[in-house]
Structures are given as structure tokens and as C-alpha cells.
Amino acid sequence: MAAEQLTELEAAIETVVTTFFTFAGQEGRKGSLSINEFKELATQQLPHLLKDVGSLDEKMKNLDVNQDSELKFNEYWRLIGELAKEIRKEKALEIQKK
């Protein structure tokens, strides 16, 4: 990225991408998350947002559109979108209560 200071939103997007690549490729292919890498990412980086998900194996299976037992970035991005929608719902409820 550029040497300029990133905005809060730009930094958040960079973090989402960097987190994926930090965990992807530790085993298996470099550009995808294996089931073990996905579980490690979920438990270390998303413990609060995924606490009610139940089985991480089942969650990965649902995200793995092409059923290759790996999550590519676009499949991981679906997870981020789902989590963002849940946060948006919570924020909307908070606003309605005010």
C-alpha cells in the first residue's frame, strides 16, 4: 500500500485481506484456506462473531462453493459479508431502541 496514512475503512479492508493471507497456505495451497487453517483463523480472529455458528466444519462446507475442501479468497469474503450483515442487523436494532 501507499505510504500515506490509510483511513479507518481502508485499514479495515487491508486487515481482512492480510488476515486471509496470514493463515492461507500454511499447509496446502498458498492462496486458499484448508479446513485446519480456516479453524485456526476462526478461533483466533473471529471467536466472538462465530461463537454461535456451531460446527466450523459445517460452516466451511457451506462457504466452500466449489466443494474442493479449501476456501479461496472469494469464498472467505462470503464469510466476511455474512458477519457484516449480522453486525448491521445488531446496529439497526440498537438504533431503533434509541
Side-chain angles (χ1 to χ4, degrees):
M1 290 294 320
E4 297 176 35
Q5 180 72 29
L6 296 177
T7 67
E8 188 174 338
L9 182 56
E10 290 168 331
I13 293 168
E14 183 175 50
T15 298
V16 168
V17 174
T18 301
T19 299
F20 175 82
F21 286 107
T22 297
F23 288 87
Q26 293 176 0
E27 59 182 42
R29 291 195 255 177
K30 291 264 183 237
S32 62
L33 294 168
S34 68
I35 183 64
N36 291 334
E37 292 164 341
F38 171 69
K39 286 179 178 179
E40 186 177 355
L41 184 153
T43 56
Q44 287 183 22
Q45 299 296 317
L46 300 167
H48 308 290
L49 295 177
L50 289 178
K51 68 181 175 213
D52 297 328
V53 156
S55 166
L56 288 178
D57 289 308
E58 195 61 36
K59 185 65 179 171
M60 176 153 172
K61 190 175 178 181
N62 293 336
L63 293 168
D64 188 11
V65 176
N66 63 355
Q67 300 299 304
D68 65 352
S69 299
E70 296 180 330
L71 293 184
K72 309 293 185 289
F73 186 81
N74 63 328
E75 294 166 323
Y76 162 78
W77 188 250
R78 289 181 60 222
L79 171 65
I80 301 304
E82 289 174 10
L83 296 174
K85 285 177 188 176
E86 289 302 314
I87 292 171
R88 186 204 57 82
K89 286 178 191 175
E90 291 175 13
K91 296 293 181 189
L93 287 174
E94 287 175 18
I95 291 169
Q96 288 176 356
K97 289 179 181 177
K98 290 182 181 179

